[in-house]
């Protein structure tokens, strides 16, 4: 195991820190079980740190507009970062992740390194090189079957090979079957955001027969028995998302066979260093991992793509351009060609 404290060391503290709250218009909204009527604008807290030589490093707090999916939300994180002078409390992991990203960005600019290279050094895979490209993963919001199929076909036609369908009870097998019939060559994931109950167990178990290779957070966080039953009943990976809050919890869930896959979201875990630690444990345990998106700007999407370049990310994640959701993004976006993302 590498010395992550050394690898993520950002040396001397920055000379100054500025926190901004962005409000970006959206080109589409991600309706999901936890937020069926999302806002028309995406708020994001952005951290900028500067050194004595005038260089700037930027970080993004990926908390959503409203609390619910997590306890943190964008405007609350912004206010907390201002009040804490850029030193967030331990119970604000998403705010802390934004500060870590900014300080790491500043340190990388001073040395001329890429984030992907630094993350590979921090991982068990030290010495390996990041791949040049990743498979893109597009998420489709809750919608009618016809609208979902139309969107799926549009993305499949431009080369995207994995689609994740947001779903709720009563919206599972029918929409999946329709999408699979329309583009059977596309890998499908389903994300229920904890909205299902044991009553949907049989239906969830049938999804693998319709091209579904991963079922993300089908049940509520505390419904471990239903999730373990699904692990035993389906060939699809049953992947922890909202449940994957920290390494100790993830270890317990996997060892109890409640899940056999993990979504890694650096913001929820407290930053990239913790994300790499979870990645390495999952690789050692033979557990597949996926990079989870949070409607980030181009800044956050670059960091997510760099993280997803680690070799343990064997389940295609939510790495796609920020312009999929956002307009007037002040940061450079990811490049996607024929369904492939260039690793920045």
């Amino acid at each position: 195991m590498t010395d992550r404290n050394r690898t993520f060391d950002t040396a001397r503290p920055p000379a100054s820190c500025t926190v901004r709250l962005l409000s970006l218009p959206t080109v589409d909204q991600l309706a999901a079980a936890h937020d069926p009527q999302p806002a028309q604008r995406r708020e994001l807290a952005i951290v900028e740190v500067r050194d004595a030589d005038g260089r700037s490093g930027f970080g993004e707090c990926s908390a959503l507009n409203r609390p619910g999916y997590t306890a943190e939300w964008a405007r609350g994180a912004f206010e907390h970062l201002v009040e804490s002078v850029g030193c967030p409390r331990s119970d604000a992991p998403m705010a802390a992740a934004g500060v870590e990203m900014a300080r790491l960005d500043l340190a990388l600019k001073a040395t001329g390194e890429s984030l992907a290279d630094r993350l590979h050094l921090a991982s068990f895979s030290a010495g390996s090189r990041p791949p040049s490209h990743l498979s893109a993963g597009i998420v489709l919001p809750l919608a009618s079957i016809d609208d979902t199929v139309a969107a799926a076909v549009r993305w499949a036609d431009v080369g995207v090979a994995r689609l994740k369908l947001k779903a709720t009870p009563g919206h599972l097998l029918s929409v999946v079957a329709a999408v699979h019939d329309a583009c059977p060559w596309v890998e499908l994931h389903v994300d229920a955001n904890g909205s299902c109950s044991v009553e949907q167990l049989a239906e969830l178990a049938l999804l693998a027969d319709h091209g579904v290779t991963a079922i993300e957070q089908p049940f509520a966080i505390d419904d471990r028995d239903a999730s373990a039953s699904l692990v035993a009943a389906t060939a699809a990976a049953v992947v922890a998302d909202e449940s994957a809050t920290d390494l100790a919890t993830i270890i317990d869930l996997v060892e109890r066979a409640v899940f056999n896959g993990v979504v890694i979201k650096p913001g929820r875990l407290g930053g990239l260093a913790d994300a790499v630690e979870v990645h390495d444990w999952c690789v050692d345990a033979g557990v597949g991992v996926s990079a989870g998106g949070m409607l980030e700007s181009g800044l956050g999407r670059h960091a997510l793509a760099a993280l997803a370049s680690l070799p343990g990310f064997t389940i295609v994640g939510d790495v796609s351009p920020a312009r999929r959701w956002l307009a007037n993004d002040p940061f450079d976006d990811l490049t996607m060609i024929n369904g492939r993302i260039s690793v920045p």
Side-chain angles (χ1 to χ4, degrees):
M1 191 70 69
T2 59
D3 181 356
R4 287 195 188 84
N5 288 331
R6 177 181 56 79
T7 309
F8 280 89
D9 180 19
T10 54
R12 56 184 176 174
S16 63
C17 176
T18 301
V19 187
R20 298 178 175 88
L21 183 67
L22 305 187
S23 179
L24 305 177
T26 57
V27 295
D28 198 1
Q29 290 77 47
L30 184 57
H34 63 86
D35 190 6
Q37 293 183 314
Q40 300 292 310
R41 301 182 73 86
R42 173 66 163 112
E43 293 186 335
L44 284 166
I46 301 294
V47 180
E48 179 187 3
V49 294
R50 291 177 296 278
D51 64 15
D53 297 321
R55 285 183 291 255
S56 288
F58 290 91
E60 176 177 322
C61 172
S62 59
L64 299 177
N65 286 26
R66 296 187 282 259
Y69 179 76
T70 65
E72 291 177 86
W73 72 102
R75 189 172 294 269
F78 166 74
E79 293 171 354
H80 175 55
L81 285 165
V82 171
E83 292 168 0
S84 65
V85 198
C87 297
R89 300 185 309 266
S90 59
D91 63 350
M94 304 187 92
V99 174
E100 181 211 54
M101 188 192 299
R103 295 190 61 168
L104 185 55
D105 184 38
L106 181 61
L108 293 171
K109 286 173 178 172
T111 61
E113 295 174 82
S114 76
L115 177 58
D117 284 336
R118 180 66 71 92
L119 295 179
H120 276 251
L121 286 173
S123 170
F124 77 95
S125 60
S128 68
R129 295 288 299 169
S132 60
H133 293 82
L134 304 169
S135 294
I138 293 294
V139 183
L140 299 183
L142 289 176
S144 69
I145 291 178
D146 288 346
D147 287 347
T148 302
V149 169
V153 170
R154 285 197 302 272
W155 286 110
D157 285 347
V158 298
V160 172
R162 189 230 71 167
L163 297 172
K164 183 166 79 176
L165 312 179
K166 291 289 188 180
T168 55
H171 191 81
L172 289 168
L173 194 55
S174 56
V175 69
V176 167
V179 171
H180 183 56
D181 287 346
C183 35
W185 62 92
V186 173
E187 178 183 350
L188 299 180
H189 293 183
V190 167
D191 185 4
N193 289 113
S195 62
C196 294
S197 69
V198 70
E199 294 177 356
Q200 283 79 45
L201 181 60
E203 188 177 11
L204 288 163
L206 292 173
L207 295 179
D209 297 334
H210 298 275
V212 173
T213 60
I215 303 170
E216 198 170 302
Q217 196 67 45
F219 306 106
I221 290 174
D222 57 356
D223 196 350
R224 293 186 168 197
D225 290 343
S227 189
S229 296
L230 183 59
V231 168
T234 181
V238 182
V239 186
D241 181 9
E242 285 92 333
S243 296
T245 54
D246 57 79
L247 179 57
T249 300
I250 289 166
I251 292 172
D252 184 60
L253 292 171
V254 171
E255 290 183 345
R256 294 176 183 271
V258 177
F259 293 96
N260 53 13
V262 174
V263 172
I264 294 180
K265 293 188 172 179
R268 183 173 54 215
L269 293 169
L272 290 163
D274 291 306
V276 171
E277 183 178 22
V278 170
H279 163 274
D280 286 2
W281 182 87
C282 288
V283 170
D284 287 341
V287 176
V289 293
S290 173
M294 290 288 290
L295 304 179
E296 298 93 344
S297 72
L299 174 65
R301 286 281 153 148
H302 273 75
L304 187 65
L307 178 68
S309 73
L310 291 174
F313 284 88
T314 55
I315 301 173
V316 178
D318 301 335
V319 184
S320 61
R323 62 181 175 275
R324 164 76 179 94
W325 304 108
L326 303 180
N328 298 341
D329 184 353
F331 297 101
D332 291 338
D333 204 353
L334 293 174
T335 299
M336 183 176 77
I337 300 175
N338 297 327
R340 303 281 287 170
I341 296 290
S342 297
V343 176

